[in-house]
Amino acid sequence: MSASKKFKRSQRAAAGADKWLDTRLWDSTPACLHSLKDAGYQIIVTHLGPASVSIQEVDWTRPTAFVLGNEKAGVGNAAVQLADHTAIIPMAGFVESFNISVAAALIMYEAQQQRCRQLGRSGDLTDKQQQMLMAEFLLRGMKHSKMMVGQLLDRPPPAHQKRFFKGAATAKAAT
């Protein structure tokens, strides 16, 4: 989120990782969180408060957006007020916070583990969404990607990739 329309891309990000992120800027925290709620996401805000639950108690099988604050100031009041739940990352010892990248990794790991335990898989993409993601992967990550996608559409997928291309042969034959 940004009050200005400028977005500073980190030069320290892993090489090439930025091409996998779709970013969107809002003018305020409430505008961002209302937009996410309107899109069907539950909002989880990391916040050390009396009503906060452990990240293990959050239902990560639902579409979820989580908000992290910095180590010094935490999250803003607007985020806490708009949260469906506030959550903490349990930790032992005297320190009460993790580095933001560590906190994000721990939350995403818990979400992935919970989804695997409860749903039997970590993702919930339809076959069509999986195909679109594979196409996006090829377009963003390979030289001559448009030619490669065309070639892939003109031939049946290898047996080990059929799970990514269910219905592709049928759709091609129908055209």
Side-chain angles (χ1 to χ4, degrees), residues 82-157:
L82 289 169
D84 294 302
H85 301 286
T86 56
I88 59 168
I89 302 170
M91 51 190 312
F94 298 108
V95 179
E96 294 183 353
S97 67
F98 285 108
N99 170 288
I100 194 165
S101 62
V102 171
L106 290 169
I107 289 171
M108 289 185 282
Y109 180 77
E110 174 59 30
Q112 186 267 344
Q113 290 295 297
Q114 191 181 109
R115 292 177 69 83
C116 285
R117 283 190 307 271
Q118 293 183 19
L119 303 176
R121 62 192 187 286
S122 62
D124 54 4
L125 298 179
T126 65
D127 290 341
K128 183 68 172 175
Q129 290 169 323
Q130 289 178 25
Q131 291 172 3
M132 296 299 291
L133 187 61
M134 177 61 78
E136 188 172 350
F137 167 76
L138 293 172
L139 289 171
R140 288 184 179 192
M142 301 179 78
K143 291 182 181 181
H144 311 294
S145 58
K146 290 181 183 177
M147 180 183 70
M148 297 278 297
V149 171
Q151 289 175 358
L152 283 173
L153 291 174
D154 287 339
R155 65 183 165 111

